Amino acid sequence: MAKNVGSEGSFTTKDYQDPPPAPLIDPAELTQWSFYRALIAEFIATLLFLYITVLTVIGYKSESDPAKNADPCSGVGILGIAWAFGGMIFILVYCTAGISGGHINPAVTFGLFLARKVSLIRAVMYMVAQCLGAICGVGLVKAFQSAYYHRYDGGANMLSDGYSKSVGLSAEIIGTFVLVYTVFSATDPKRNARDSHVPVLAPLPIGFAVFMVHLATIPITGTGINPARSLGAAVIFNQDKAWKDHWIFWVGPFIGAAIAAFYHQFILRAGAAKALGSFRSSTSQA
């Protein structure tokens, strides 16, 4: 059990240990099989994520298409789409957390990089693997659903009619903040030490966060909060309307992730106060 010295010299104990910050650049990672195994896990997880979720979106639009005299209430509906996204994140984070950390989202990787949880090399390579996996996943959807793929916009994220760019950007920022904030909270070493007997603790709230954000923002942007998801759908669909406001689905999630990282690390975990206390202690001893 680790011991910490309090601000007035008293000893306190805690049953967890914060990991040291990841090095900014760690070339040694490039020589480790575990690093490449993690990249493969991120690639496959993002591929499966896009395959299932985009198929769900296209299937719902097909089953509720008024042009086919379909019942507007048929199919899974927006609730079902949200469950598909949240449920897949729950499953995939559970499966890959022990291998790659289960990011499956460049915005999550970016937030963890800012918090010094991963190195720059790992962050960049994760994002590349995630984007490639997303493109391949949507490519499979197009191969299996070619008759409906273009008719229903390929499941691409687009700003809905009646919403301004600022509203769409704000929705992506806030939605990603909710997700990344949940990731930080669910993987906090202090929480893990207290609830280590609950093996699905982290994947469950992360999946629910994705589910809840989709319920709120599907009508606005189709819900991005994951640049790889938006890029994969846009690359395979490759129509002007998919690229028109595509920047929103990168800028919004990265801003939201940065705010979440700052909020958790420096406000909730009192990183700024600890740094200030350490500075005061060192100056008083000088």
Side-chain angles (χ1 to χ4, degrees), residues 13-273:
T13 61
K14 63 180 183 179
D15 57 357
Y16 69 96
Q17 183 67 43
D18 287 314
L24 180 61
I25 299 177
D26 186 9
E29 287 185 312
L30 298 175
T31 65
Q32 299 170 353
W33 163 242
S34 60
F35 174 70
Y36 296 99
R37 182 179 62 185
L39 292 180
I40 294 171
E42 287 292 310
F43 172 83
I44 296 297
T46 314
L47 183 154
L48 295 175
F49 177 60
L50 268 292
Y51 172 72
I52 296 297
T53 54
V54 173
L55 266 182
T56 302
V57 171
I58 294 175
Y60 163 66
K61 290 184 176 181
S62 174
E63 292 176 355
S64 59
D65 188 353
K68 298 166 61 177
N69 295 320
D71 182 359
C73 296
S74 63
V76 297
I78 290 180
L79 183 64
I81 293 173
W83 271 121
F85 279 88
M88 280 303 293
I89 287 296
F90 168 66
I91 293 169
L92 295 170
V93 171
Y94 179 81
C95 292
T96 61
I99 301 172
S100 66
H103 297 191
I104 322 172
N105 184 336
V108 171
T109 300
F110 180 65
L112 293 173
F113 165 70
L114 292 180
R116 299 292 302 276
K117 305 293 185 182
V118 296
S119 68
L120 177 61
I121 292 176
R122 184 174 292 264
V124 171
M125 294 302 292
Y126 269 27
M127 292 181 191
V128 171
Q130 292 156 357
C131 290
L132 291 176
I135 293 170
C136 292
V138 182
L140 288 177
V141 173
K142 183 177 179 180
F144 294 153
Q145 289 282 2
S146 57
Y148 299 107
Y149 182 81
H150 284 286
R151 183 185 305 175
Y152 301 114
D153 298 331
N157 287 125
M158 303 174 195
L159 186 62
S160 300
D161 295 336
Y163 293 98
S164 66
K165 291 179 173 61
S166 60
V167 171
L169 180 62
S170 298
E172 289 296 307
I173 291 173
I174 297 171
T176 310
F177 172 85
V178 172
L179 170 59
V180 179
Y181 170 41
T182 304
V183 170
F184 275 105
S185 298
T187 58
D188 191 303
K190 183 176 182 179
R191 184 184 297 272
N192 287 340
R194 187 186 65 193
D195 300 316
S196 59
H197 60 286
V198 186
V200 297
L201 179 68
L204 188 58
I206 293 170
F208 262 106
V210 172
F211 167 69
M212 297 304 295
V213 170
H214 274 76
L215 286 181
T217 58
I218 282 177
I220 303 174
T221 61
T223 308
I225 67 169
N226 184 336
R229 177 262 187 270
S230 301
L231 178 68
V235 166
I236 300 300
F237 185 55
N238 199 28
Q239 299 291 327
D240 289 342
K241 53 185 175 181
W243 293 112
K244 181 180 178 182
D245 300 308
H246 185 70
W247 64 272
I248 289 175
F249 302 102
W250 284 86
V251 175
F254 273 57
I255 292 176
I259 296 173
F262 176 83
Y263 175 64
H264 185 269
Q265 294 297 102
F266 292 97
I267 305 299
L268 297 187
R269 291 302 303 272

